């Protein structure tokens, strides 16, 4: 059944005649995809790619930097309910707003990439002019290439490319591959950041994995093999004793952010999980520790109406302004023509067995590692 | 004949199959609507809704915050000729331009809303960075919902919704209802500003009703039951003696703006009218005085080529920078989940009888009220 | 065979039913045009007009201010390879970015206009806020009118209009006519900048003609009848001795810019040419010297990946910040309602005969003129 489709390959002078949907099966497991275009309000013109393989389903948004909008497993939704009500076409997201905060008008994905040249808080030049918008530009850049392949084992692979180019300044490219094995509960993401320029540059990447109901709720927990942890600021320090526990929605809850380094296993893999209170549901993330040495927990347990959500964020750096991170060496050097490879897997854990197994893996990593350093206040080189 | 159509309900995964036009009649009076999409230049992709009921016709622009682009009665046009040559799709309007003046590149409606979080002159933070663009964001935000209903009496009701949301910052929503009774000469607008957040916030709204030829011309007059009036600045003070009279087009005419509070009648209604020199044509506006306690007259009788126009502007506040208005308490408090209701009617007055009757109503309000305070210069708390 | 087609005439309430393509011939020479819309990535929705007449072909982009994207003659391409990978829809180009450099995200044309209100380096107000973005707004503004005519001699004429309007601030309009005589190797451009306002204003225009491979290469030369020349800055001064010679691609090459005034012939025409090393290929430009009294050479012989390119730029002014140019009188005064006319021809020179003849014309101008003043450093009134 091996097949391949090219869905976007820009610029095209005509709308592709390629099938916009396909349905198949592999040994009785259904497998399908559909490429659609939304209409109405801020979603007008947004292309979405929906993929289903057995009990797993996910939606990618090529128009929004190939972000992962939503996923589900056995009918259980993974994602959150953002007041933004997207997916929002980047044309409506004012990322060049002088405040640097326009990005917040488009934020509603399960997984949004923050990069490529920069991520983190907005940065400004000495005249107060925005240089790096909040969380960078890639999530509001369109894919110029999108293709899908299905192999003989029923593994589905989506490959896409997104550019972040400003003439004379930078020429970065994201090449992303998302693989879903037949009916598996793991979305396997491999990203390459390519420096298309003949000059050296740097990059940053943070994977903003956002979870709300039903996993998040009072009694939900963050499990992670912490090596070192610090609150980002005094507000986060207030909640330090219970940094890994979650409360219910609280109107006006001001976000608490924790910066961490995690342990990794012998293969160099780190992992973390948000586990529901009843331990029947969890979302795990595993990732290459060397490429993504930092892990950020964003607790935003505000009212449902304002986005009751937490973010699990493997990252190349800490989400401070780019100039601060650069000063502390937390940027990814990319030589002329070089490629950095980042890999991350999202585990859609449904049922006690799957949840417990993932928790056991984290616990065994914690046992094997002696140290766990918790700072009462942010180290000077960690927080801007 | 009662019917309802949902024309926009975002996000939709397919273009709605709903009829895009409808024609009916009620006891011999024709009634119809058409939803179209413009193409070419800066109008590419703009959706417009044209409604006709007897001798009254109007065009709403869902793509531009449900603004009222144009109206006519008995073939008499109400509106103005803007050099902007729209309707302009918001994607072409740089409202995040650091100057805060990008809004001016899309301004050409008969009625444009200025809000929801703010209106008035641009505001900046202490570093000189734009915080509130001129007249806010709502006019350049798209409706995510639009529906039409016709009832058994031939009354047509258009209902739409527009969001103004920035995650963590604000979550406001406009729900607007425009009602046209069978063949009536009044467009009845009821707006709700809804705070979808679980946190308290504030809002502002100014209705920028703009009129040019044929009502505006030498000898045209503004009629209003003035309780208190002040020129906005020295330039307006120059024209104070003849603030209610209009001259012909004058190249280079610098705008003159007058801030007012009007009297209201026992039912709490204020009113004002621009009356043509020959008193055969007028545009009246009536509005809920408690919700819209300020009234602004914008005289911009520049050359025709530059937009010969005047604005009648019922408002929750004065159009100073938001921080100035906030300091003086002229913002609308909106508790978590609360809704503010604003209502305003636009009277398309054709013929001496209709014009005279509206003038009489204003005159009787003036007679009943003793006071009319005119400041020679702007009070310190009125002008930034 | 005389015919005319109106392709864009905004706003239209329906997509034009006009033919979107036409093919004809004149005494055996084929002649054709096609209007298409691109899809995918940042090119989504970009309209392009391709014209062919005998051995000459060119592509205009109405969506990008009627820029000339590419041209070819006898199969030889004229243009360059930009890392930007366009044509880029203006909706993706953040020209209001506080840095003023967002224009660089859309730059990939053979000929791009820089204007109308301003061109050159970004300019800022005293608070550091952007007032004039790099190279102005016209290249990222859409044509609201586009028509084509073919006359009985097989001459094809494309006429288009683009607005640059901000209510109260400016109301400029570009009316551009591009003429291609039957199978000729010259694209004849006549631009009018129209001040639609009743108030006086000023304008600027720079024609950014960009050439890369195959004309540009080691040993390529710039030929021009220089009257006065100065390096823009110390970096350009470094290369002064060989300002007219080109080297091969060099990674990290920092741009060198030379400001010039050229001689003109008796008819008031100036000319310049980029000639390939083998003298078999060249791109010439002739222009009205009075209207375009300055000529800029932009040498950007960086690596191919970063855009190996040089710009030949006839201009009304020098590309300094607008306030600097205004102070030195290098803005085009435009009275109320006035029109400035600029004309420029692009010569697609293929073969030694065509190249040599153009070189001879330049040489004869140099012989006839005595003076050629070369400054070692930029004069104070030439460089900001």
């Amino acid at each position: 059944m091996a097949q391949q489709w090219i869905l976007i390959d820009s610029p095209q002078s005509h709308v592709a005649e390629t099938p916009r949907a396909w349905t198949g099966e592999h040994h009785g497991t259904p497998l399908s995809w559909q490429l659609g275009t939304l209409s109405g309000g801020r979603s007008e013109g947004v292309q979405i790619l929906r993929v289903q393989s057995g009990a797993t389903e996910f939606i990618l948004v090529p128009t929004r930097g190939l972000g992962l909008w939503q996923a589900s497993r056995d009918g259980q939704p993974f994602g959150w309910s953002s007041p933004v009500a997207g997916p929002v076409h980047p044309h409506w997201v004012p990322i060049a707003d002088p405040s640097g905060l326009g990005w917040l008008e488009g934020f509603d994905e399960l997984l949004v990439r923050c990069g490529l040249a920069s991520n983190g808080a907005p940065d400004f030049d000495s005249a107060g002019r925005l240089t790096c918008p909040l969380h960078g530009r890639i999530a509001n850049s369109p894919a110029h290439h999108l293709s899908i392949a299905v192999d003989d084992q029923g593994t589905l692979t989506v490959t896409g490319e997104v550019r972040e180019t400003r003439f004379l300044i930078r020429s970065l490219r994201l090449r992303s591959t998302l693989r879903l094995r037949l009916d598996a509960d793991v979305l396997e993401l491999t990203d390459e950041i390519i420096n298309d320029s003949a000059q050296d540059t740097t990059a940053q990447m943070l994977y903003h994995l956002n979870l709300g109901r039903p996993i998040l709720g009072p009694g939900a927990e963050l499990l992670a093999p912490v090596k070192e942890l610090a609150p980002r600021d005094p507000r986060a320090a207030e909640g330090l004793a219970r940094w890994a526990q979650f409360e219910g929605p609280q109107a006006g809850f001001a976000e608490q952010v924790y910066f961490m380094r995690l342990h990794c296993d012998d293969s160099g893999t780190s992992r973390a999980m948000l586990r529901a209170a009843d331990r029947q549901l969890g979302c795990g993330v595993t990732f290459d520790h060397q490429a993504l040495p930092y892990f950020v927990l964003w607790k935003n347990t505000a009212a449902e109406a304002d986005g009751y959500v937490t973010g699990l964020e493997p990252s190349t750096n800490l989400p401070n302004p780019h100039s601060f991170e650069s000063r502390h060496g937390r940027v990814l050097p990319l030589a002329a023509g070089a490629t950095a490879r980042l890999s991350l897997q999202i585990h859609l854990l449904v049922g006690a067995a799957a949840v417990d197994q993932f928790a056991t893996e984290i616990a065994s990593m914690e046992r094997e590692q002696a140290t766990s350093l918790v700072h009462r206040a942010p180290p000077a080189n960690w927080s801007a």
Side-chain angles (χ1 to χ4, degrees), chain A:
Chain A
M1 68 185 299
Q3 295 192 56
Q4 190 181 6
W5 302 265
I6 295 175
L7 299 180
I8 301 175
D9 199 23
S10 165
Q12 294 158 297
S13 51
H14 295 288
V15 172
E17 296 300 318
T18 316
R20 311 285 278 191
W22 177 85
T23 302
E25 60 92 40
H26 186 82
H27 294 305
T29 300
L31 191 60
S32 67
W33 60 261
Q34 306 93 41
L35 182 69
T37 302
L38 302 176
S39 70
R42 285 182 172 82
S43 295
E44 184 81 29
V46 172
Q47 286 190 303
I48 60 171
L49 176 69
R50 182 186 299 259
V51 170
Q52 290 146 310
S53 171
T56 299
E57 179 176 327
F58 66 87
I59 297 176
L60 283 185
V61 188
T63 308
R64 289 187 55 78
L66 293 170
L68 176 65
W69 191 38
Q70 297 174 345
S72 71
R73 171 81 181 167
D74 291 332
Q76 289 288 348
F78 290 75
W80 61 299
S81 174
S82 169
V84 155
V88 178
H89 197 291
H91 291 338
W92 295 106
V93 181
I95 59 171
D97 181 301
S99 70
L101 299 176
W103 185 91
L104 294 168
E105 298 187 22
F107 176 45
D108 85 331
E109 294 98 336
L110 167 60
L111 181 74
V112 58
R113 285 179 194 82
C114 302
L116 301 175
S118 66
N119 62 38
D123 209 352
F124 302 91
D125 67 15
S126 61
R129 285 187 292 258
L130 183 68
T131 52
C132 301
L134 173 67
H135 286 328
R137 297 174 170 91
I138 198 67
N140 289 288
S141 297
H144 63 270
H145 180 84
L146 183 69
S147 59
I148 303 185
V150 176
D151 71 13
D152 289 334
Q153 282 72 49
T155 296
L156 190 145
T157 305
V158 182
T159 304
E161 293 204 3
V162 190
R163 283 200 190 87
E164 188 175 308
T165 302
R166 181 175 283 193
F167 181 66
L168 295 180
I169 313 287
R170 73 182 72 86
S171 191
L172 294 169
R173 182 161 42 105
L174 169 71
R175 185 193 290 143
S176 177
T177 305
L178 196 158
R179 191 152 65 148
L180 176 59
R181 292 173 206 268
L182 191 67
D183 194 28
D185 63 358
V186 190
L187 306 180
E188 303 172 45
L189 197 63
T190 304
D191 281 355
E192 291 169 295
I193 304 176
I194 302 163
N195 178 10
D196 279 326
S197 171
Q199 289 199 266
D200 299 352
T201 191
T202 64
Q204 293 187 317
M205 178 69 98
L206 179 150
Y207 292 93
H208 215 297
L209 178 67
N210 309 297
L211 298 159
R213 301 278 190 184
I215 304 183
L216 186 63
E221 266 185 291
L222 192 279
L223 280 66
V226 174
K227 185 174 176 185
E228 188 175 0
L229 179 149
R232 183 186 65 180
D233 52 23
R235 165 65 186 150
E238 290 173 17
L240 188 59
R242 288 179 54 77
W243 73 265
Q245 274 75 47
F246 290 86
E247 312 294 333
Q250 185 185 329
F253 184 91
E255 63 179 23
Q256 293 178 321
V257 179
Y258 300 94
F259 292 165
M260 302 177 218
R261 295 185 63 105
L262 302 186
H263 291 295
C264 62
D265 63 21
D266 293 347
S267 73
T269 300
S270 282
R271 69 202 70 205
M273 170 171 59
L274 180 72
R275 186 171 65 183
D278 66 4
R279 304 190 176 192
Q280 300 291 312
L281 203 61
C283 184
V285 57
T286 52
F287 51 95
D288 176 356
H289 179 267
Q290 192 172 354
L292 298 164
Y294 296 93
F295 182 81
V296 179
L297 177 65
W298 170 60
K299 295 174 82 172
N300 191 65
T301 49
E304 306 271 7
D306 291 317
Y308 178 61
V309 61
T310 188
L312 282 61
E313 311 171 5
S315 180
T316 62
N317 60 288
L318 295 168
N320 296 299
H322 183 265
S323 57
F324 182 88
E325 291 299 288
S326 184
R327 213 149 55 230
H328 292 97
R330 290 187 297 259
V331 291
L332 204 59
L334 268 179
T339 294
R341 180 182 288 253
L342 308 169
S343 68
L344 174 138
Q345 298 80 40
I346 300 171
H347 303 257
L348 310 173
L349 306 167
V350 178
V355 172
D356 290 350
Q357 188 191 324
F358 204 90
T360 301
E361 286 170 21
I362 292 174
S364 82
M365 287 175 71
E366 288 177 314
R367 265 196 313 278
E368 286 164 18
Q369 309 288 349
T371 62
S372 179
L373 172 62
V374 174
H375 300 274
R376 309 242 132 240
N381 66 337
W382 271 26
S383 281

